[in-house]
Amino acid sequence: MTASLSVEPADLEPGIDLPRFRDRFRAWLRKHSDVLAAWRDVHPASLEEALRHDAKLLVLLWESGWGKWGWPEAVGGAGGAAALRSVLIDELWAHDIELPHQYDSIEILGQMVTDLRPDLAQRFFPALATGRELWAQGFSEPEAGSDLASLRTRATPDGDGFRLNGQKIWNSLAAAGNRAFVLARTGTPESRHRGLTMFFVDLDTPGLVVRPIALASGFNHLAEIFLDDVPVPADRLIGEVDGGWAVLMKLMQYERGTYAWQRQAKLLCRLRGLVSRLDTDDPAAPAEVGRAYLRVLATRAKTANTVRRLDAGNTLGPDTSVDKVLLGAAEHAVADLARDLDPYGFLLDDSAAAAHRYDDWWFSRATTIFGGAGEVQRGIVADRVLRLPTEKG
Amino acid sequence: MDNADRQLLIESLRSTFASADADPAAALDELGWAEAQEADPAEATTLLFTEHGRHAVTSSLLDRVVLAEIGADHADAAVVYPPFGADHVTDEGVALVDPATVASVWVQRESGLAQLSSGELSARPVHGFDTARTWWRVRVPAGTPAATPVPQPPPDAWERAVAAGRRALAAELHGITEVLLQNAIRHTSERVQYGRPIAAYQTVRHRLVEGHAVLEAARSVLDSAWTDGSPWAAAVAKAVAGTAYRDVARHAMQLCGAVGLTREHHQHGFVERGALLEELLGSARHLERELGYRLLTGLRAPAVVEL
Ligand SMILES: Cc1cc2nc3c(=O)[nH]c(=O)nc-3n(C[C@H](O)[C@H](O)[C@H](O)COP(=O)(O)OP(=O)(O)OC[C@H]3O[C@@H](n4cnc5c(N)ncnc54)[C@H](O)[C@@H]3O)c2cc1C
């Protein structure tokens, strides 16, 4: 039924540590290099096609057991330290294997549901982990971007549950998604972040419409979600009523921490690919390559600490915004390097590979906007880490 | 090292570096530094050199680090470092102590590592840009006689010595950078213009945050360089530390305004010393070019950091 039959299962001892896990996974990746070649250097024509192809790798990882390590047994995982997952992600990229796009959703939302609603995770997580489902984040609104606490989508009590009315926008992976976290107002219009509640909403609920939005590259990374009297049962709350902001803050530590680790692994992969393809006698090239490499390593070192701290059970605070600041600089440096060192090859190419390079480039710009724009991250660090006088003086 | 031990060490390092007359190297011997160093070389070295940087002092401690890798006794020897921008000594180099005070110096020449008798060398003290501290410019003419007897250091001794020196210098730069950043934070938080503290203005806040972010990254990179242990990782740590120093110094000098550019403010000492340490054993500019060149000529970019 699945390709997983063609690979060896993960046979690991409980409590395996990160270095041993890494060694064993590396050996497995090398052994099955031929099978895994299907996810190396692939250039699907659309995000939808990519997701279908990526889902097969998710199944392979899950059924062979590797993808289960680091997830609790209660949600179908094999147990072990959560950081094992970060090792797996890093090694996939290190072996030039494109990380399934679903991982954004798995690592952030899968983790959130596992943390806060293990009952829902037990039901739905295995489908997310194997690519049969995809979950999205519905926070931003047309008039609530950086100032998210001003959002206006309303949740009104209705019997045991709620009804949602409003509009969400810029929702990653929602066009192909099945469920979404939706942040809505349960308090008064002026209640700002105190009057918000997080819901876990099925995207096929009547009254809900999703419209894809293509990134400039043409790939449908984004979507908008229209909510017209959408019923949500009471058991689909994540956190408390009016406690949505705390849920969002918890989510942000994964988005700014573990996700940043995942991104740096991709950047290192892209940098390696770029310099191995490149044939340049541009005298400025060595310094530019070195600078981009150092930016990636700076991000890698800092986010590795974050992953370790998360793994040790620490709650991460505003410090994860530092990771995001570093990541933004690394993203821009690597993407621009790809363009600047080979401008002719980069800018004038209609191949499928080029389409993905353009997608990488546009996405690099997005990484300093989503999850809190670079300026907003700096504001958080200024206020809450450096404790500078606030902007209002 | 547990927290209490660490705190104790930091305190004693502070008082050592704060008393300007004593030779810190001798004071450290009394402190029993050698044991701390042996128990946890990474943490002890990083603590020591960070504190060294925070006090903007000069000493022969870097020589000890370098000589230890060469396998040479530091009691009666010194190091002549390549001049800034070079990776070996042709006819001139830089020293932290007067070569006349030791019997021999170690120097990396084009032909390799050599131990030379210091009697034949001419050296002159220079303050240069680092106005309050003394450096030594040392002439090392071709044909300077070797010291006797000549022990044979292992073939990779200089490479390892440079790596150890770079890790120490990275920590020292972190100390300097931290002082510059903290100064700028204090100054801009206290100084009021247009009716608000300067640090309430967004461009000012963002510069300070960027400084904080590069310094945090530099510290993480240095920890990884110790774990990794390779000369490559040490070069990465030195380069990132150098970049952090450069960025923070630029912001700090801007944000402290006129007073920060005067002899009446202590900022200049940190800017000056940092500029020399940034160059010693390879500047960020030099290293990023070198690392980039290796990547472009076939080396698969090392990950350096592992979980
Ligand atoms: C690829 C991508 C994926 C995304 N995925 C999701 C998702 O899955 N779910 C979701 O809910 N949202 C998502 N977003 C939306 C994202 O969170 C918002 O775009 C972001 O919060 C900024 O909002 P905005 O675009 O409305 O920009 P605005 O808030 O209008 O800001 C525009 C620009 O102004 C500047 N700016 C804003 N505020 C300040 C300030 N206080 N100080 C200084 N400068 C400031 C910044 O440069 C900012 O980029 C995604 C966005 C992108 C690009």
Side-chain angles (χ1 to χ4, degrees), chain A residues 137-140 144-147 169-172 215 222 363 366 368-373 375-376, chain B residues 202 206:
Chain A
Q137 304 181 10
F139 311 140
S140 307
S146 297
D147 184 13
I169 194 166
W170 317 129
N171 311 110
S172 297
L215 207 61
L222 300 169
F363 204 85
T368 50
I369 295 177
F370 63 69
E375 292 86 344
V376 174
Chain B
Q202 196 177 62
H206 289 189

Coordinates of all heavy atoms in Angstrom, one line a residue, chain A residues 137-140 144-147 169-172 215 222 363 366 368-373 375-376, chain B residues 202 206, ligand 1:
Chain A
Q137 N -3.4 28.4 10.5 CA -3.6 29.4 11.5 C -4.4 30.5 11.0 O -4.1 31.2 10.1 CB -2.2 30.0 11.9 CG -1.2 28.9 12.3 CD 0.2 29.6 12.7 OE1 0.3 30.8 12.8 NE2 1.2 28.7 12.9
G138 N -5.5 30.8 11.7 CA -6.4 31.9 11.3 C -6.4 33.0 12.4 O -7.3 33.0 13.2
F139 N -5.4 33.8 12.3 CA -5.3 34.9 13.3 C -5.5 36.3 12.6 O -6.4 37.1 12.9 CB -3.9 34.9 14.0 CG -3.6 33.6 14.5 CD1 -2.3 33.1 14.5 CD2 -4.5 32.7 15.1 CE1 -1.9 31.8 15.0 CE2 -4.2 31.5 15.6 CZ -2.9 31.0 15.5
S140 N -4.6 36.6 11.6 CA -4.6 37.9 10.9 C -6.0 38.2 10.3 O -6.7 37.3 9.8 CB -3.6 38.0 9.9 OG -2.3 37.6 10.4
A144 N -6.5 43.8 10.9 CA -5.7 43.5 12.1 C -4.5 42.7 11.6 O -4.5 41.4 11.5 CB -6.5 42.7 13.1
G145 N -3.4 43.4 11.3 CA -2.1 42.7 10.9 C -1.2 42.7 12.1 O -1.3 41.9 13.1
S146 N -0.3 43.6 12.1 CA 0.7 43.7 13.3 C -0.1 43.9 14.6 O 0.2 43.3 15.6 CB 1.7 44.8 13.1 OG 2.4 44.6 11.9
D147 N -1.1 44.8 14.5 CA -1.9 45.0 15.7 C -3.0 44.0 15.8 O -4.2 44.3 15.7 CB -2.5 46.4 15.7 CG -3.2 46.8 16.9 OD1 -3.1 46.1 17.9 OD2 -4.0 47.8 16.9
I169 N -7.3 36.3 7.1 CA -6.5 36.5 5.8 C -5.1 36.1 6.1 O -4.6 36.1 7.2 CB -6.7 37.9 5.2 CG1 -6.2 37.9 3.8 CG2 -6.0 38.9 6.1 CD1 -6.6 39.2 3.0
W170 N -4.4 35.8 5.0 CA -3.0 35.4 5.0 C -2.8 34.1 5.8 O -1.8 33.9 6.5 CB -2.1 36.4 5.6 CG -2.3 37.8 5.2 CD1 -2.5 38.9 6.1 CD2 -2.5 38.4 3.9 NE1 -2.7 40.0 5.4 CE2 -2.7 39.7 4.0 CE3 -2.4 37.8 2.6 CZ2 -2.9 40.6 2.9 CZ3 -2.6 38.6 1.5 CH2 -2.8 40.0 1.7
N171 N -3.7 33.1 5.6 CA -3.6 31.9 6.3 C -2.8 30.9 5.6 O -3.2 30.4 4.5 CB -5.0 31.4 6.6 CG -5.9 32.5 7.2 OD1 -6.8 33.0 6.6 ND2 -5.5 33.0 8.4
S172 N -1.6 30.6 6.1 CA -0.7 29.6 5.4 C -1.4 28.2 5.3 O -1.9 27.8 6.3 CB 0.6 29.5 6.2 OG 1.3 30.7 6.2
L215 N 1.2 33.5 -3.5 CA 2.3 34.4 -3.2 C 2.8 34.8 -4.6 O 2.5 34.3 -5.6 CB 3.4 33.5 -2.5 CG 4.4 34.3 -1.6 CD1 3.6 35.0 -0.4 CD2 5.4 33.3 -1.0
L222 N -1.0 30.9 0.6 CA -1.9 31.7 1.5 C -3.4 31.5 1.1 O -3.7 30.9 0.1 CB -1.5 33.2 1.5 CG -0.1 33.5 1.9 CD1 0.2 35.0 1.5 CD2 0.1 33.3 3.4
F363 N 9.6 33.8 -0.4 CA 9.3 33.4 1.0 C 10.3 34.0 2.0 O 9.9 34.3 3.1 CB 9.3 31.8 1.0 CG 8.4 31.3 2.2 CD1 7.1 31.2 2.0 CD2 9.0 31.1 3.4 CE1 6.3 30.7 3.1 CE2 8.2 30.6 4.5 CZ 6.9 30.5 4.3
A366 N 9.0 37.0 3.2 CA 7.8 36.8 4.1 C 8.3 36.5 5.5 O 7.6 36.8 6.5 CB 6.9 35.7 3.6
T368 N 10.3 37.9 7.4 CA 10.4 39.0 8.3 C 9.1 39.8 8.4 O 9.1 40.9 8.9 CB 11.5 40.0 7.8 OG1 11.3 40.3 6.4 CG2 12.9 39.4 7.9
I369 N 8.0 39.1 8.0 CA 6.7 39.7 8.1 C 5.8 38.8 8.9 O 5.1 39.3 9.9 CB 6.1 40.0 6.7 CG1 6.9 41.1 6.0 CG2 4.6 40.4 6.9 CD1 6.5 41.4 4.6
F370 N 5.7 37.5 8.6 CA 4.7 36.7 9.3 C 5.2 36.4 10.8 O 6.4 36.5 11.1 CB 4.4 35.4 8.6 CG 5.5 34.4 8.3 CD1 6.1 33.7 9.3 CD2 5.9 34.2 7.0 CE1 7.0 32.8 9.1 CE2 6.9 33.3 6.8 CZ 7.5 32.6 7.8
G371 N 4.3 36.0 11.6 CA 4.6 35.7 13.0 C 5.1 36.9 13.7 O 5.7 36.8 14.8
G372 N 4.7 38.1 13.2 CA 5.2 39.4 13.8 C 6.3 39.9 13.0 O 7.4 39.3 12.9
A373 N 6.1 41.1 12.4 CA 7.1 41.7 11.5 C 8.4 42.0 12.3 O 8.4 42.1 13.5 CB 6.5 43.0 10.9
E375 N 10.0 44.5 12.8 CA 10.0 45.7 13.7 C 9.2 45.3 15.0 O 9.6 45.8 16.0 CB 9.2 46.9 13.0 CG 10.0 47.5 11.8 CD 9.7 46.7 10.5 OE1 9.2 45.6 10.5 OE2 10.1 47.3 9.4
V376 N 8.2 44.5 14.8 CA 7.4 44.1 16.0 C 8.3 43.2 16.9 O 8.3 43.4 18.1 CB 6.1 43.4 15.5 CG1 5.4 42.9 16.7 CG2 5.3 44.4 14.7
Chain B
Q202 N 12.1 54.6 18.2 CA 12.2 53.3 17.6 C 13.5 53.0 16.9 O 14.0 51.9 17.1 CB 11.0 53.1 16.6 CG 10.8 51.6 16.3 CD 9.6 51.4 15.3 OE1 9.6 51.9 14.2 NE2 8.6 50.7 15.8
H206 N 15.7 49.8 18.0 CA 16.0 48.7 17.1 C 17.5 48.4 17.0 O 17.9 47.3 16.9 CB 15.3 48.9 15.8 CG 13.8 48.8 15.8 ND1 13.0 48.7 14.8 CD2 13.0 48.6 16.9 CE1 11.7 48.6 15.1 NE2 11.7 48.5 16.5
Ligands
LIG1 C1 3.9 34.1 3.9 C2 3.0 34.5 5.0 C3 2.4 33.6 5.8 C4 1.5 34.0 6.8 N1 0.8 33.1 7.5 C5 -0.1 33.5 8.4 C6 -1.0 32.5 9.0 O1 -0.8 31.3 8.8 N2 -1.9 32.9 9.8 C7 -2.1 34.2 10.1 O2 -3.0 34.6 10.9 N3 -1.4 35.2 9.5 C8 -0.4 34.8 8.6 N4 0.4 35.8 8.0 C9 0.1 37.2 8.3 C10 1.2 37.9 9.1 O3 1.1 37.5 10.4 C11 0.9 39.4 8.9 O4 1.2 39.7 7.6 C12 1.8 40.2 9.8 O5 1.3 40.1 11.2 C13 1.8 41.7 9.4 O6 0.6 42.2 9.2 P1 0.3 43.0 7.8 O7 0.7 42.2 6.7 O8 -1.1 43.4 7.9 O9 1.2 44.2 7.9 P2 1.0 45.6 8.7 O10 0.6 45.3 10.1 O11 0.1 46.5 7.9 O12 2.4 46.2 8.7 C14 3.1 46.5 7.5 C15 4.6 46.8 7.8 O13 4.6 47.9 8.6 C16 5.7 47.8 9.5 N5 5.2 47.9 10.9 C17 4.0 47.4 11.4 N6 3.9 47.7 12.7 C18 4.9 48.4 13.1 C19 5.4 49.0 14.3 N7 4.7 48.9 15.4 N8 6.6 49.6 14.3 C20 7.3 49.7 13.1 N9 6.9 49.2 12.0 C21 5.8 48.5 11.9 C22 6.3 46.5 9.3 O14 7.4 46.6 8.4 C23 5.3 45.7 8.6 O15 5.8 44.7 7.7 C24 1.3 35.4 7.0 C25 1.9 36.3 6.2 C26 2.8 35.9 5.2 C27 3.5 37.0 4.4

